[in-house]
Amino acid sequence: MSASLDKNTALRGYEIMKTIREFETRIAAEYAAGTVPGMTHLYIGQEAVAAGICVHLSNADSTASTHRGHGHCIAKGCEIGPMALELFRKEGGICKGKGGSMHIADVSKGMLGANAIVGGSAPLACGAALTAKTLGTQNVSVAFMGDGAANQGTVFESMNLAVVLKLPVIFVVENNGYGEHTGVDYHVGSKDICSRSAAFGMPAKKIDGTDFFAVSAAMAEAAALARAGGGPTTLECCAKRWHGHYEGDPQAYRAKSELEELRRDADPLIIFRSKVSAAGDVSVAELDSLDAKITQQISDAVDVALRAPQPAPAELLTDVYASY
Amino acid sequence: MSASLDKNTALRGYEIMKTIREFETRIAAEYAAGTVPGMTHLYIGQEAVAAGICVHLSNADSTASTHRGHGHCIAKGCEIGPMALELFRKEGGICKGKGGSMHIADVSKGMLGANAIVGGSAPLACGAALTAKTLGTQNVSVAFMGDGAANQGTVFESMNLAVVLKLPVIFVVENNGYGEHTGVDYHVGSKDICSRSAAFGMPAKKIDGTDFFAVSAAMAEAAALARAGGGPTTLECCAKRWHGHYEGDPQAYRAKSELEELRRDADPLIIFRSKVSAAGDVSVAELDSLDAKITQQISDAVDVALRAPQPAPAELLTDVYASY
Amino acid sequence: MPVKSFREAINEALRQEMERDSNVILIGEDIAGGHGGIEGGIGSTGSMFGALKGLYDQFGASRVIDTPISESAIVGAAAGAALTGLRPVAELMFMDFFGVCFDQIYNQAAKFRYMFGGNCSVPMVVRGAVGAGYGSAAQHAQALWPIFSHVPGLKVVLPSNPYDAKGLLIQAIRDDDPVMFLEHKVLYNEKGEVPDEPYSIPFGEANVTRSGEDVTVVAFGRMVGFANDVADKLRQEISVEVIDPRTTSPLDMEMIIESVEHTGRLLVVDEANPLCGMCSEVISNVAIESIGALKVAPEKLSAPHTPVPAAPNLEELYIPSRDRIESSIRKLMVS
Amino acid sequence: MPVKSFREAINEALRQEMERDSNVILIGEDIAGGHGGIEGGIGSTGSMFGALKGLYDQFGASRVIDTPISESAIVGAAAGAALTGLRPVAELMFMDFFGVCFDQIYNQAAKFRYMFGGNCSVPMVVRGAVGAGYGSAAQHAQALWPIFSHVPGLKVVLPSNPYDAKGLLIQAIRDDDPVMFLEHKVLYNEKGEVPDEPYSIPFGEANVTRSGEDVTVVAFGRMVGFANDVADKLRQEISVEVIDPRTTSPLDMEMIIESVEHTGRLLVVDEANPLCGMCSEVISNVAIESIGALKVAPEKLSAPHTPVPAAPNLEELYIPSRDRIESSIRKLMVS
Ligand SMILES: Cc1ncc(C[n+]2csc(CCOP(=O)(O)OP(=O)(O)O)c2C)c(N)n1
Ligand SMILES: Cc1ncc(C[n+]2csc(CCOP(=O)(O)OP(=O)(O)O)c2C)c(N)n1
Ligand SMILES: [Mg+2]
Ligand SMILES: [Mg+2]
């Protein structure tokens, strides 16, 4: 366990990761069973990134997320029950069932939304950071994005803007190896994402995104810098996704063996467990009982969601404007 | 005179520069007199960039330009008569009077248009380069843009795309110190533009944009690389504009002394003359007679344009579609 | 005649045009797919909706060009390539992504010919999926054709069936102007008769899919099928003429007006949002040109002025339905 | 009442709202100006049309924020700031630049409230100059309000005079939804009576600028002044009612229909392009709601389906003129 991280924070990180894993594993099964409407992109394999970043954030800090947003939402404190209802697009969903997987948001928790537009998050996170800077709150904001998103003009513009205005924003580029079905070696001309950020004039680091402690340590530094008025940082966190781009993706672009290796060597939960047990800080029993609690909680939440009614028809016409 | 440059090319460069200077000086006077409709942005002070780049291009090579496009158009071979008519928005203008200063184009000369959208040029130049690559012509294309444009998402996207597809495109960033009324030190967070390009994975150089020979030498190299299939290059050419952002700009953001120094120390025409006379390749008389010819030509062209009729009313409705 | 899906019709049009003209290229994200992955994977995607399957294998990387996720660069590159001799077909995957690259479409490609005084051509196509009904929610399910139709210099195509999809796409590729080609995602699996040989359907010529005497129904895109179904259902009772304009710009108002002059009753059905949409365009033109022919006030059926909701039951309410088309027709007959 | 220019009215609205509410900030390119230049130069621009002069001096760099030329980042930052407690007023300078950043407007800001099930507010304004008549050609002179009005979640404001400009801008800033605030560049120097104190004008409430009996003229933006002039000129002959909707979304169809029910004759004048524009929207609504009230076919006067030409004579032909408004009115009276 990292010297700078207290036990509670580490346990919170684990809880986040396990919740993501369990939630999405169940969603994957439901998706295969045909109960989940629309498209879904799963985050499994990248849990340590969301967890390592968000353990350093409070509700007053903001994050803007992506189409692969469940992990970020859970890590940022969105409640599992309403999230499950939202995925099934039911009444009581976190967005009343009107958003679905790619638009889960809870602004009261500082979660400014998953986002179905690649690269959409970066300008929004700059905006939250601008609020913090303008009001002098010392809050920070995080823009999550993928390796593919890192080629969007919106992202580059945001990076330069953040440097120019010294905004307290952290760009978290989750390099999971692919943008849809295209490998990062093809779509990023520079063979490195964080060096492009560095060229904008900000600190930028490449990090093992399967290691909660590595992500957490880098984020601790970036957040401290931002809160102190030192401006933005980019963290390129490398952790491949285990599932397809979307559920149902035949994944002809990668070898079965890649997936086997990932499950064996790059499981953020296993890596966490081995690190803490090596350090002797957390007992296996503690983690196992957390696991059991989470499994039950998610099973309950999904069961409730499956049985819940659809939104009332009148909901079609509400929430377009504050009042009209 | 640079070893690698023959006398004819150098003279062609000088002719371009002098034509730009003379043309725009006359336009500035006409603008002040109220005869030029709409907005106009003058290029004076940056002549060596357009000239140094375009002496290496044929009509089969393409350039995409900016709102400050007269210099690029002249350098790329657009005819002065139709250009003058266009500026006054008259019948017979290079765009029939329907484009004006910010849309001068002659696709048959490889001039894909001035462009009133900042950053608009880069994707278009990639497209011309894609044509060259697809058809295997060994043509190249040039995207001209300003320091301010270098912050547009379209430009960053184009740079990465060009690297990924190894497109024969040269990004010429004319760092003239300002984007509108804002200094480059403020709006570029990295205090350097070409290093951002380098981070995309292409050669990138900073060049004295008042020195025709320096620009020409850098372009010779970049064009050769591109023609050989080696992909894109960025050339950051530094040369301040002498006029305001637009004609009529009160320029409260810069000191009168800056302008005096520019005219004294950074005149591309004077610098050219001093270099060639030191080398003894071109006689002063030769240049003077070129000057006289150009002055006359421009005076004639503008006089014709002033007297020319406006476009026929029916022109309002033509050229929207090939046929409709 | 051979029966093919809408998806196959698109594929065939692209393949045949690429075979005919080596200047036709495809550019977009994952239109081949698999670059940077394992060996043998390249080409395995064939665009996210599968409409480009096999084209990479046949035409290779120089004509089926995968790109980074950079839509402004993609569409702008297509425009620049079109100006310099190619006939690019750019793909936006979901047309909803136009928001990050609209400048290259509406200010650049669409305006070059006019701004340059006619001395250029911009023969390019921007393809993308449109429409609700797939559960893809607010940012992946929009109609958008009214926005594109508003822009001078663009042509906007909205095929309602496989036959039209092939013929209109071939026309779009051969056309010398920028064309927005909109593929309704719910139609991809729809089947219909599609000739094997290449053919083109001219723009601005509506198609009468059902002839009738009592009511004119102008329907767009996916709504054409709905309107046909309703016309068939009502045949014994009410004689319904269904008109599919096929392109929203140019819009064949002549044929619509001719029909309304005959029937005296007009319903316009569109899946797009209502303000400044196709329903308004058609109805206002009829009011201006043929108000005297209208026996009763025209009817409009569109999506409401809301984003597309995620919940399936709400999405179904969002999209005009056969039932509502039927009620509107009945209302026209009663009043 | 004090007389002020449209430009001064905008300035005053911003200043008073910034004084009232410290969460109101301004963000855009050169809205202060002079950063990175000589000492004392900062604030010298006050936005390219001069409407923000003095605001930097009064409110400083933390509330009048100059940016790089990065419109997606600007508008997205405004949206993110609006979600988190500020009330940003972003400036796009020329609204024509929306093409590089429309996603952040139409897919993000406009849809958050709906997509998030109502659990947020996006109180932001995007200001920009619109309209032809200034010789600024195809990429700097567009109308664009039909495109914005088509999008659910946006409110679209188009003031025709200094009084409305101030009241509507104050309303826009206080409004809890994203507002597109369109300033016609030809109107900036227009003068009119503008109270010194702050006041707001509700959205969706049209203004009857001339009362009349014979013809209803609905005019938008700069066309309102033209229509008023024609109404005044014709007063002895034809009694013309002029309606200025002031906001194109929401659109006050109630008042328009009430007027048409009275006059029985309708002309709609708009500077925007014709397809899927305001003229079509207004006329179709009237046809649907009150076809019986129309004594003659409605008339439409808009720009043609072309980009804005650069040549001054062509630009003048492009914009609907007082003469053409007069002819259209006369035509309505004759037929
Ligand atoms: C602007 C835009 N372009 C394209 C898409 C389609 N799309 C959805 S996810 C995706 C890949 C994103 O890759 P990356 O950013 O690496 O995220 P990952 O899926 O790997 O988490 C693409 C291209 C989109 N949603 N938005
Ligand atoms: C997308 C877009 N944003 C803003 C503008 C307004 N504008 C015109 S020129 C200019 C400054 C451009 O600066 P730079 O790229 O350095 O070129 P320079 O004027 O110095 O030649 C701006 C902001 C525009 N035309 N297009
Ligand atoms: Mg990825
Ligand atoms: Mg500059």
Side-chain angles (χ1 to χ4, degrees):
Chain A
M1 186 145 120
S2 160
S4 63
L5 214 62
D6 62 282
K7 181 177 165 180
N8 282 342
T9 306
L11 278 177
R12 169 83 190 117
Y14 180 82
E15 189 182 0
I16 289 170
M17 294 197 291
K18 179 65 184 173
T19 306
I20 297 170
R21 175 71 55 88
E22 195 62 30
F23 183 71
E24 290 207 329
T25 301
R26 177 71 192 269
I27 292 302
E30 291 296 338
Y31 197 91
T35 58
V36 184
M39 291 178 283
T40 306
H41 310 81
L42 300 188
Y43 190 71
I44 292 175
Q46 305 175 217
E47 296 93 338
V49 182
I53 298 294
C54 292
V55 290
H56 297 282
L57 302 177
S58 78
N59 285 349
D61 299 313
S62 299
T63 64
S65 170
T66 70
H67 58 288
R68 200 177 299 287
H70 307 160
H72 309 138
C73 292
I74 289 170
K76 197 65 180 53
C78 292
E79 285 173 43
I80 286 296
M83 270 187 68
L85 286 160
E86 191 60 36
L87 271 167
F88 293 97
R89 305 176 181 198
K90 296 294 184 68
E91 192 177 289
I94 202 162
C95 305
K96 299 186 183 168
K98 292 157 85 164
S101 166
M102 291 202 287
H103 305 296
I104 293 175
D106 185 345
V107 175
S108 71
K109 298 275 169 60
M111 166 41 72
L112 307 186
N115 206 312
I117 300 299
V118 168
S121 64
L124 298 169
C126 285
L130 185 62
T131 299
K133 183 189 165 195
T134 306
L135 302 181
T137 57
Q138 299 193 317
N139 296 326
V140 301
S141 82
V142 171
F144 285 106
M145 68 193 75
D147 49 287
N151 296 322
Q152 266 288 356
T154 54
V155 168
F156 298 120
E157 288 188 1
S158 298
M159 288 180 172
N160 182 52
L161 183 76
V163 172
V164 167
L165 298 180
K166 274 213 166 191
L167 297 178
V169 55
I170 294 107
F171 299 98
V172 177
V173 182
E174 297 188 68
N175 185 341
N176 65 1
Y178 305 92
E180 287 188 349
H181 303 176
T182 299
V184 62
D185 292 346
Y186 177 82
H187 69 68
V188 169
S190 56
K191 313 273 165 195
D192 188 326
I193 296 172
C194 68
S195 63
R196 300 198 305 208
S197 291
F200 279 103
M202 73 177 93
K205 260 191 209 144
K206 202 161 183 164
I207 297 150
D208 177 355
T210 64
D211 178 358
F212 167 79
F213 296 103
V215 175
S216 170
M219 176 60 181
E221 203 181 314
L225 182 70
R227 293 190 204 282
T233 296
T234 292
L235 304 177
E236 180 181 354
C237 303
C238 301
K240 291 198 169 173
R241 56 170 159 78
W242 291 10
H243 282 241
H245 169 56
Y246 50 83
E247 285 306 281
D249 177 0
Q251 301 190 67
Y253 51 89
R254 62 172 169 174
K256 286 264 176 313
S257 60
E258 184 183 311
L259 296 169
E260 284 154 20
E261 282 162 31
L262 288 172
R263 285 172 200 272
R264 190 187 61 219
D265 305 331
D267 184 332
L269 294 165
I270 296 177
I271 292 170
F272 181 99
R273 278 178 173 255
S274 74
K275 289 218 168 182
V276 294
S277 68
D281 293 319
V282 185
S283 73
V284 170
E286 244 175 314
L287 296 176
D288 286 349
S289 87
L290 245 181
D291 281 7
K293 189 194 84 179
I294 290 166
T295 305
Q296 188 58 50
Q297 182 197 8
I298 281 163
S299 171
D300 293 348
V302 171
D303 289 347
V304 166
L306 280 168
R307 288 192 308 267
Q310 292 195 304
E315 280 301 333
L316 175 64
L317 301 178
T318 63
D319 302 323
V320 184
Y321 297 98
S323 64
Y324 207 7
Chain B
M1 189 145 119
S2 159
S4 62
L5 213 63
D6 63 281
K7 181 177 164 180
N8 282 343
T9 306
L11 277 178
R12 170 80 191 119
Y14 181 83
E15 188 181 0
I16 289 170
M17 294 197 292
K18 179 66 185 175
T19 305
I20 297 170
R21 176 70 55 87
E22 196 61 31
F23 183 71
E24 290 207 328
T25 301
R26 177 70 191 271
I27 292 302
E30 291 296 337
Y31 198 91
T35 58
V36 184
M39 290 178 283
T40 306
H41 310 81
L42 300 188
Y43 190 71
I44 293 176
Q46 304 174 218
E47 296 92 340
V49 182
I53 297 294
C54 292
V55 289
H56 297 283
L57 302 176
S58 79
N59 285 350
D61 299 312
S62 300
T63 64
S65 170
T66 71
H67 59 288
R68 200 177 300 287
H70 307 160
H72 310 137
C73 292
I74 290 171
K76 197 64 183 47
C78 292
E79 283 174 44
I80 285 296
M83 270 187 68
L85 286 160
E86 191 60 37
L87 271 165
F88 293 98
R89 305 175 180 199
K90 297 294 184 68
E91 192 176 289
I94 202 162
C95 305
K96 298 188 184 168
K98 292 157 87 162
S101 165
M102 291 202 286
H103 304 296
I104 294 175
D106 185 344
V107 175
S108 71
K109 298 276 169 58
M111 164 42 70
L112 306 186
N115 205 313
I117 300 298
V118 167
S121 64
L124 298 168
C126 285
L130 185 62
T131 299
K133 183 188 166 196
T134 306
L135 303 181
T137 57
Q138 299 193 313
N139 296 325
V140 300
S141 83
V142 171
F144 285 106
M145 68 193 75
D147 49 286
N151 296 322
Q152 266 287 356
T154 54
V155 169
F156 298 119
E157 288 188 1
S158 298
M159 288 180 171
N160 182 53
L161 183 76
V163 172
V164 167
L165 298 181
K166 274 213 168 192
L167 297 177
V169 54
I170 296 108
F171 299 98
V172 177
V173 182
E174 296 188 69
N175 184 341
N176 66 0
Y178 305 93
E180 287 189 351
H181 303 175
T182 299
V184 63
D185 292 345
Y186 177 83
H187 69 68
V188 169
S190 56
K191 314 272 165 194
D192 190 325
I193 295 171
C194 67
S195 63
R196 300 198 305 209
S197 292
F200 279 102
M202 73 177 94
K205 260 193 207 141
K206 202 161 183 165
I207 296 150
D208 177 355
T210 65
D211 178 359
F212 167 79
F213 296 103
V215 175
S216 170
M219 176 60 181
E221 203 181 316
L225 182 70
R227 293 190 203 282
T233 296
T234 292
L235 303 177
E236 180 180 354
C237 302
C238 301
K240 291 198 168 172
R241 58 169 157 78
W242 293 10
H243 283 241
H245 169 57
Y246 50 83
E247 286 306 282
D249 177 0
Q251 301 192 65
Y253 51 90
R254 63 172 169 174
K256 287 264 178 309
S257 61
E258 182 181 311
L259 295 169
E260 285 155 19
E261 282 162 31
L262 287 172
R263 284 172 201 273
R264 191 187 59 220
D265 304 331
D267 185 331
L269 293 165
I270 295 177
I271 291 169
F272 182 99
R273 280 179 172 254
S274 74
K275 290 218 167 180
V276 293
S277 67
D281 293 319
V282 185
S283 74
V284 169
E286 244 175 314
L287 296 176
D288 287 349
S289 87
L290 245 181
D291 283 7
K293 188 194 84 179
I294 290 166
T295 304
Q296 189 58 48
Q297 182 196 9
I298 282 163
S299 171
D300 293 348
V302 172
D303 289 348
V304 166
L306 280 167
R307 287 192 309 267
Q310 294 195 303
E315 281 300 333
L316 174 64
L317 302 178
T318 63
D319 302 324
V320 182
Y321 298 98
S323 65
Y324 208 12
Chain C
M1 217 190 287
V3 168
K4 294 164 194 163
S5 71
F6 192 95
R7 177 183 287 106
E8 286 162 346
I10 299 286
N11 188 286
E12 199 167 274
L14 292 169
R15 185 187 308 273
Q16 290 178 343
E17 284 304 289
M18 291 180 80
E19 283 168 351
R20 189 188 57 82
D21 182 350
S22 63
N23 288 326
V24 177
I25 61 149
L26 312 181
I27 184 166
E29 298 157 14
D30 285 294
I31 58 174
H35 285 280
I38 55 168
E39 240 178 285
I42 304 182
S44 54
T45 306
S47 148
M48 275 302 166
F49 291 96
L52 274 56
K53 275 263 158 69
L55 299 180
Y56 176 86
D57 290 338
Q58 184 172 345
F59 300 103
S62 71
R63 294 184 62 201
V64 180
I65 303 164
D66 267 357
T67 70
I69 308 175
S70 304
E71 283 81 3
S72 284
I74 295 167
V75 176
L83 274 179
T84 50
L86 298 184
R87 292 189 169 269
V89 181
E91 178 182 299
L92 276 188
M93 196 178 316
F94 290 81
M95 205 46 105
D96 310 63
F97 308 155
F98 89 99
V100 296
C101 62
F102 197 39
D103 185 73
Q104 291 292 336
I105 298 172
Y106 104 105
N107 262 338
Q108 311 291 344
K111 294 188 171 66
F112 285 149
R113 182 185 296 275
Y114 194 82
M115 295 192 301
F116 300 173
N119 288 315
C120 69
S121 275
V122 194
M124 66 186 277
V125 182
V126 180
R127 291 176 49 250
V130 292
Y134 216 71
S136 37
Q139 293 175 337
H140 276 64
Q142 294 168 89
L144 301 171
W145 45 87
I147 290 179
F148 302 144
S149 301
H150 180 71
V151 177
L154 294 180
K155 295 174 178 173
V156 186
V157 183
L158 184 60
S160 69
N161 62 71
Y163 179 90
D164 286 358
K166 179 173 174 183
L168 291 166
L169 183 48
I170 287 178
Q171 174 62 33
I173 294 169
R174 295 180 186 176
D175 200 279
D176 281 334
D177 292 313
V179 178
M180 304 298 291
F181 192 88
L182 313 183
E183 301 168 14
H184 200 297
K185 53 179 84 67
V186 176
L187 296 180
Y188 277 120
N189 291 326
E190 205 95 328
K191 300 213 160 179
E193 294 191 331
V194 177
D196 287 334
E197 61 278 5
Y199 57 95
S200 70
I201 299 173
F203 293 165
E205 295 192 8
N207 185 25
V208 178
T209 60
R210 294 292 183 277
S211 296
E213 304 288 322
D214 299 330
V215 179
T216 301
V217 177
V218 179
F220 291 89
R222 186 182 173 212
M223 295 300 111
V224 175
F226 285 15
N228 289 341
D229 291 347
V230 175
D232 294 343
K233 178 182 170 193
L234 297 181
R235 188 158 41 194
Q236 307 301 335
E237 265 182 275
I238 307 169
S239 170
V240 176
E241 179 141 306
V242 179
I243 297 183
D244 172 4
R246 297 198 282 207
T247 58
T248 62
S249 175
L251 179 64
D252 187 356
M253 279 309 306
E254 258 176 66
M255 184 172 292
I256 294 170
I257 284 172
E258 200 178 294
S259 172
V260 175
E261 297 268 1
H262 192 71
T263 62
R265 294 185 184 84
L266 173 65
L267 164 65
V268 190
V269 193
D270 191 25
E271 183 190 318
N273 291 120
L275 261 81
C276 299
M278 301 320 301
C279 297
S280 304
E281 184 59 28
V282 170
I283 291 173
S284 75
N285 276 316
V286 169
I288 292 167
E289 299 293 330
S290 317
I291 196 165
L294 288 171
K295 295 175 189 157
V296 294
E299 283 278 313
K300 163 178 180 170
L301 253 187
S302 70
H305 186 61
T306 75
V308 183
N313 66 323
L314 299 183
E315 191 184 30
E316 214 180 299
L317 287 172
Y318 176 91
I319 304 165
S321 64
R322 293 178 183 81
D323 281 353
R324 286 197 286 150
I325 293 173
E326 183 179 332
S327 321
S328 294
I329 290 172
R330 292 193 182 281
K331 188 172 158 212
L332 281 168
M333 292 307 294
V334 165
S335 45
Chain D
M1 218 190 283
V3 168
K4 292 163 196 164
S5 72
F6 192 96
R7 178 183 286 107
E8 287 161 345
I10 298 286
N11 187 285
E12 198 166 273
L14 292 169
R15 185 187 306 274
Q16 290 178 344
E17 285 304 289
M18 291 180 80
E19 284 168 350
R20 190 185 61 79
D21 181 350
S22 63
N23 288 327
V24 178
I25 61 149
L26 312 182
I27 184 165
E29 297 158 14
D30 284 295
I31 58 174
H35 286 280
I38 55 169
E39 240 179 287
I42 304 182
S44 55
T45 307
S47 148
M48 274 301 164
F49 291 96
L52 274 56
K53 276 264 159 67
L55 299 181
Y56 176 86
D57 290 339
Q58 185 174 346
F59 300 103
S62 70
R63 295 184 60 202
V64 181
I65 303 163
D66 268 356
T67 70
I69 307 175
S70 304
E71 283 82 3
S72 284
I74 294 167
V75 175
L83 274 179
T84 49
L86 297 184
R87 290 189 170 270
V89 181
E91 179 182 298
L92 277 188
M93 196 179 316
F94 291 81
M95 205 46 105
D96 310 63
F97 307 156
F98 89 99
V100 296
C101 61
F102 197 38
D103 185 73
Q104 291 290 336
I105 296 172
Y106 104 105
N107 262 338
Q108 311 291 344
K111 293 188 171 64
F112 285 150
R113 183 184 295 277
Y114 194 82
M115 294 191 302
F116 299 173
N119 288 315
C120 70
S121 275
V122 194
M124 67 185 276
V125 181
V126 180
R127 291 176 48 250
V130 291
Y134 215 70
S136 35
Q139 293 175 338
H140 277 64
Q142 294 166 91
L144 301 172
W145 45 87
I147 290 178
F148 303 144
S149 301
H150 181 70
V151 178
L154 294 181
K155 295 174 178 173
V156 186
V157 183
L158 184 61
S160 69
N161 63 71
Y163 179 90
D164 286 358
K166 178 172 174 182
L168 291 166
L169 183 49
I170 288 178
Q171 174 61 32
I173 295 170
R174 295 180 187 175
D175 200 279
D176 281 334
D177 292 313
V179 177
M180 304 298 291
F181 192 88
L182 313 184
E183 302 168 13
H184 199 297
K185 53 179 84 69
V186 176
L187 295 180
Y188 276 121
N189 291 326
E190 205 95 326
K191 300 214 161 179
E193 294 192 331
V194 177
D196 287 334
E197 62 278 5
Y199 57 95
S200 71
I201 298 173
F203 292 165
E205 295 193 8
N207 185 24
V208 178
T209 61
R210 294 292 184 276
S211 296
E213 305 288 322
D214 300 330
V215 179
T216 300
V217 177
V218 179
F220 290 89
R222 186 181 173 213
M223 295 299 112
V224 175
F226 285 14
N228 288 341
D229 291 347
V230 175
D232 294 344
K233 178 182 169 193
L234 296 181
R235 189 158 41 194
Q236 306 302 333
E237 265 181 274
I238 306 170
S239 171
V240 176
E241 179 141 306
V242 179
I243 297 183
D244 171 5
R246 298 198 282 210
T247 57
T248 61
S249 175
L251 180 64
D252 187 356
M253 279 309 305
E254 259 177 66
M255 185 172 292
I256 294 170
I257 284 172
E258 201 178 295
S259 172
V260 175
E261 296 268 0
H262 191 72
T263 62
R265 293 184 184 85
L266 172 65
L267 165 65
V268 190
V269 193
D270 190 26
E271 185 190 317
N273 291 119
L275 260 80
C276 299
M278 301 319 302
C279 297
S280 304
E281 184 60 27
V282 169
I283 291 172
S284 75
N285 276 316
V286 169
I288 293 168
E289 299 293 330
S290 317
I291 198 165
L294 288 171
K295 295 175 188 156
V296 294
E299 283 277 314
K300 162 178 179 171
L301 253 186
S302 70
H305 187 61
T306 76
V308 183
N313 67 323
L314 299 183
E315 191 184 31
E316 216 180 299
L317 287 172
Y318 176 91
I319 304 165
S321 65
R322 293 179 183 81
D323 281 354
R324 285 198 286 149
I325 293 173
E326 184 179 332
S327 319
S328 294
I329 291 172
R330 291 192 183 283
K331 187 173 158 210
L332 281 168
M333 293 307 294
V334 165
S335 47

